């Protein structure tokens, strides 16, 4: 039987691609989602992957959610922290609510979820934690003070978890995608999209499946010597 993998925000966009790729690689996958029941049910029907609804920004909801997953699917051995939102505004116009919503969903969730699974991973002597950061966690971006802060914080958190888990067979790594063709870009104007693509040396947006392949790589048993790293996948837009 394959290892158990839990993907937050795992029924749409990059998360859905990660869930599918992990299942294809032999994992027993559980997909968390926050609110879109129709999309989650369609995903479940299409893939056969069980879905679990809870708010990853709520610590107690994460505790109960992981219990539900482990009761139905098994102990979580691979955690993919993918859930995220954006609430864009220039700093002088950004409300405290816009700031807090993004920090809560994009960064607090990484602690909330990792905290629920870390002890079991330590006891079993194995764990893979992969967190989906962003190119904008590696550089600043206009109108994204909340999002950039959350994604940069995710990288710092990853490095600490990597140090703490290294002797227990647990790896923690981040992936920093560039601009990927998902719903997050659906409302971007044609002019702005042309500008974005113009900054990408390979001349196109990324595909969610390309990010998912990186997740499968880092989740593998054979990736045990890779920890504390940030894997950039951005078409050459930012080279670090």
């Amino acid at each position: 039987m394959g290892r158990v993998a839990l993907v937050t925000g795992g029924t749409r966009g990059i998360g859905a691609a990660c869930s599918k790729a992990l299942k294809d690689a032999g994992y027993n996958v559980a997909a968390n989602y926050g609110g879109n029941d129709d999309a989650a049910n369609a995903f479940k029907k299409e893939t056969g992957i069980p879905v679990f609804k809870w708010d990853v920004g709520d610590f107690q909801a994460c505790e109960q959610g992981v219990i539900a997953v482990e009761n139905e699917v098994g102990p979580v051995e691979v955690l993919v922290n993918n859930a995220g939102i954006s609430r864009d505004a220039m700093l002088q116009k950004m409300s405290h609510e816009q700031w807090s919503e993004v920090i809560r969903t994009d960064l607090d969730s990484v602690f909330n979820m990792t905290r629920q699974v870390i002890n079991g991973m330590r006891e079993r002597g194995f764990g893979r934690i992969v967190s989906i950061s962003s190119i904008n966690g590696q550089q600043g971006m206009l109108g994204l003070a909340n999002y950039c802060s959350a994604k940069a914080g995710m990288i710092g958190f990853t490095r600490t978890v990597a140090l703490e888990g290294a002797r227990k067979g647990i790896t923690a790594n981040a992936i920093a995608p560039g601009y990927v063709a998902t719903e997050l870009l659906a409302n971007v104007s044609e002019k702005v999209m042309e500008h974005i693509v113009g900054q990408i040396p390979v001349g196109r947006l990324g595909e969610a499946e390309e990010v998912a392949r990186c997740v499968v790589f880092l989740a593998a048993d054979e990736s045990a010597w890779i920890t504390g790293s940030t894997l950039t996948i951005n078409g050459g837009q930012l080279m670090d």
Side-chain angles (χ1 to χ4, degrees), residues 10-232:
T11 64
R12 294 190 292 164
I14 290 174
C18 292
S19 296
K20 293 174 184 177
L22 286 164
K23 181 181 179 182
D24 289 345
Y27 293 82
N28 294 320
V29 180
N32 152 269
Y33 75 103
N36 193 324
D37 294 323
D38 291 339
N41 290 330
F43 171 85
K44 181 179 180 180
K45 183 177 180 181
E46 174 196 351
T47 64
I49 294 172
V51 299
F52 298 83
K53 183 179 182 179
W54 74 82
D55 176 5
V56 291
D58 182 322
F59 184 84
Q60 290 185 328
C62 291
E63 183 178 29
Q64 295 304 310
V66 170
I67 289 172
V69 169
E70 296 198 329
N71 285 339
E72 182 173 332
V73 186
V76 175
E77 297 164 288
V78 176
L79 172 65
V80 181
N81 290 308
N82 167 75
I85 62 171
S86 62
R87 299 288 186 267
D88 304 351
M90 296 293 283
L91 183 59
Q92 67 270 23
K93 297 180 180 180
M94 183 176 290
S95 67
H96 185 263
E97 182 181 15
Q98 288 173 309
W99 170 269
S100 297
E101 285 181 355
V102 171
I103 296 298
R104 181 178 184 274
T105 301
D106 294 32
L107 182 56
D108 287 354
S109 65
V110 179
F111 168 79
N112 292 344
M113 289 301 304
T114 305
R115 182 64 181 81
Q116 309 309 324
V117 302
I118 194 68
N119 284 340
M121 290 179 174
R122 290 174 64 87
E123 290 169 4
R124 292 186 296 272
F126 179 90
R128 297 286 183 266
I129 299 164
V130 183
S131 298
I132 309 300
S133 181
S134 168
I135 187 174
N136 292 320
Q138 300 172 302
Q139 63 178 11
M141 181 57 63
L142 294 169
L144 296 178
N146 47 8
Y147 187 81
C148 291
S149 297
K151 294 300 185 178
M154 186 183 291
I155 292 172
F157 178 85
T158 294
R159 290 171 177 167
T160 297
V161 174
L163 288 173
E164 293 183 357
R167 296 296 179 92
K168 294 293 185 178
I170 301 166
T171 67
N173 293 286
I175 295 174
Y179 289 89
V180 178
T182 66
E183 292 178 22
L184 283 177
L185 295 180
N187 296 321
V188 174
S189 70
E190 184 177 347
K191 182 177 181 180
V192 172
M193 188 61 70
E194 288 178 357
H195 176 71
I196 290 172
V197 174
Q199 294 181 315
I200 303 172
V202 301
R204 65 171 177 85
L205 298 176
E207 297 293 336
E209 292 75 15
E210 293 176 305
V211 180
R213 284 194 286 273
C214 296
V215 171
V216 173
F217 168 69
L218 291 173
D221 287 18
E222 295 80 5
S223 295
W225 217 49
I226 304 171
T227 194
S229 294
T230 300
L231 178 57
T232 59

